Amino acid sequence: MTRFDRRVLLWRGALLMGGLAAPRLSRSQGLWRPSQPIRIVVPAAAGGTTDIMGRILAPFLQERWGQPVVVDNRSGAGGTLGAAEVVRAKPDGHTILIGNIGPQAIAYSLFRGLSYKPEQLIPVSNMIRGPNALMLHPSLPVRTVPEFVRYLKENPGKLNYSTSGPGQSPHLSGVWFHQLTGTQATAVHYRGAGPAMVGMVAGDVHFGFDNLTSSVEQIRAGQVRGLGVTSADRNPQMPELPALRETMPELAEYDVSTWFGAFLPAGTPEPVVDALNAEIKALLSLPVTQRRFAEMGGVPTYGTPAEYSAFVRAEIEKWGGVVRKEGLRMDIG
């Protein structure tokens, strides 16, 4: 059994211990309820934050709604394959997407020929936000960000870095970092944060950016060396890691935070959207959820459908500006 599998089992046990095994109907009276099994599509491989959010939500909905809930990992093309599958799904509430900053914001301006548009998905609620972390394989002879930048400049184009997929926030975190510091490295795209971390721990890549929420354990265990976080401020769970923008004048404007939330296909009836939103709000209010998120270095981030929709639109506009400034355009592959 892997560490990730143990975490999932412990989480489910904590939910039940928290009293979620009480009668289901009392929690959903007056709201829409599913009439068949639910599929939660995770557009990434197992082990990353997108997957963790899906596996936290699934047992909660199963207990509350009394229907089986299955997590379906559909990785590839920076999360856009899984998102496109949900766009094509019947809009009846039985297929849920766990979306994130990559396929639901960055992808619209980055990828040529994207098969879906923002209006084809309904933002239901955000769930968690947090920074990325810059990490190195322990074999690299550097321990601070300025040392790392010097090392990159002394070895132009010789190092490679992992990403959880093209167009995901770890990829764009690397692109912006290299732009601001005047450095070069080759991106190696994996099909999710889990495989990317495996590659970094094995030494297949020299460094990488990843969500702190899914890499905090490897940093604490010394499997990778954390140099800093991408957010504007330090993270309470790892205050020893500086914000990258405080380490060098060149990085003064650097600020990236990731987010993960639920989406439904366009055309889903409003009562269905409201029912799922209510369950997410209930999940995020649980002390066990808040403790788990804090351990991961993340913050619960509930929003109404209207609030989340406005947030997603702002993120699409923000990252569209970054992508256009870089002149980045990619083919989906």
Side-chain angles (χ1 to χ4, degrees):
M1 180 182 292
T2 67
R3 180 180 297 177
F4 176 74
D5 292 330
R6 287 195 294 272
R7 290 204 307 267
V8 171
L9 289 175
L10 288 171
W11 170 259
R12 289 175 176 169
L15 286 179
L16 293 176
M17 291 294 289
L20 296 184
R24 300 176 182 122
L25 285 175
S26 64
R27 290 171 168 76
S28 297
Q29 288 176 349
L31 292 175
W32 172 86
R33 292 175 59 81
S35 59
Q36 63 191 58
I38 300 291
R39 182 169 67 122
I40 297 179
V41 175
V42 169
T49 308
T50 315
D51 184 61
I52 293 171
M53 289 302 101
R55 295 182 188 279
I56 284 176
L57 181 61
F60 182 82
L61 291 182
Q62 183 164 305
E63 186 61 38
R64 301 273 287 200
W65 280 347
Q67 290 285 352
V69 182
V70 177
V71 175
D72 188 3
N73 292 85
R74 297 285 178 169
S75 63
T80 63
L81 294 184
E85 185 163 331
V86 174
V87 165
R88 295 190 296 267
K90 187 176 180 180
D92 59 3
H94 294 96
T95 303
I96 300 168
L97 172 70
I98 301 298
N100 64 64
I101 189 174
Q104 272 59 70
I106 297 170
Y108 296 115
S109 55
L110 179 64
F111 291 121
R112 301 183 187 93
L114 191 63
S115 63
Y116 60 90
K117 299 178 180 179
E119 57 268 27
Q120 292 179 281
L121 288 167
I122 298 174
V124 178
S125 175
N126 211 341
M127 294 178 67
I128 190 172
R129 63 174 172 82
N132 287 328
L134 168 59
M135 299 161 291
L136 313 180
H137 186 267
S139 64
L140 265 63
V142 297
R143 294 190 173 274
T144 68
V145 175
E147 288 177 358
F148 179 51
V149 170
R150 284 197 299 271
Y151 189 76
L152 284 168
K153 290 183 176 180
E154 291 167 358
N155 297 274
K158 295 182 181 179
L159 275 66
N160 54 32
Y161 69 102
S162 62
T163 86
S164 54
Q168 293 281 9
S169 70
H171 176 206
L172 270 293
S173 292
V175 168
W176 198 11
F177 178 87
H178 293 308
Q179 178 200 11
L180 294 175
T181 59
T183 54
Q184 299 176 26
T186 301
V188 178
H189 301 300
Y190 289 84
R191 293 175 70 93
M197 180 58 73
V198 170
M200 193 186 312
V201 170
D204 297 332
V205 291
H206 299 101
F207 69 100
F209 291 84
D210 185 25
N211 311 141
L212 182 62
T213 48
S214 56
S215 59
V216 63
E217 291 187 5
Q218 288 81 7
I219 296 173
R220 286 173 174 158
Q223 294 177 292
V224 294
R225 180 180 301 144
L227 286 193
V229 293
T230 62
S231 53
D233 302 303
R234 298 190 182 210
N235 187 275
Q237 287 302 306
M238 302 201 79
E240 69 276 16
L241 291 184
L244 292 179
R245 73 177 193 170
E246 72 182 68
T247 63
M248 298 179 68
E250 295 91 331
L251 293 169
E253 64 181 282
Y254 196 86
D255 180 9
V256 180
S257 290
T258 62
W259 48 268
F260 303 83
F263 294 76
L264 289 168
T268 301
E270 186 174 348
V272 178
V273 176
D274 290 342
L276 178 57
N277 179 273
E279 297 300 349
I280 292 173
K281 183 178 183 179
L283 172 64
L284 298 185
S285 69
L286 290 174
V288 65
T289 305
Q290 294 167 6
R291 288 195 298 270
R292 177 72 177 99
F293 284 15
E295 291 168 359
M296 296 163 59
V299 178
T301 317
Y302 167 77
T304 65
E307 290 168 341
Y308 192 34
S309 294
F311 171 79
V312 171
R313 287 194 300 270
E315 285 287 284
I316 292 171
E317 183 176 350
K318 169 188 172 180
W319 287 103
V322 173
V323 169
R324 287 189 294 272
K325 180 179 179 181
E326 288 294 319
L328 286 173
R329 291 289 285 171
M330 299 182 65
D331 293 313
I332 295 178

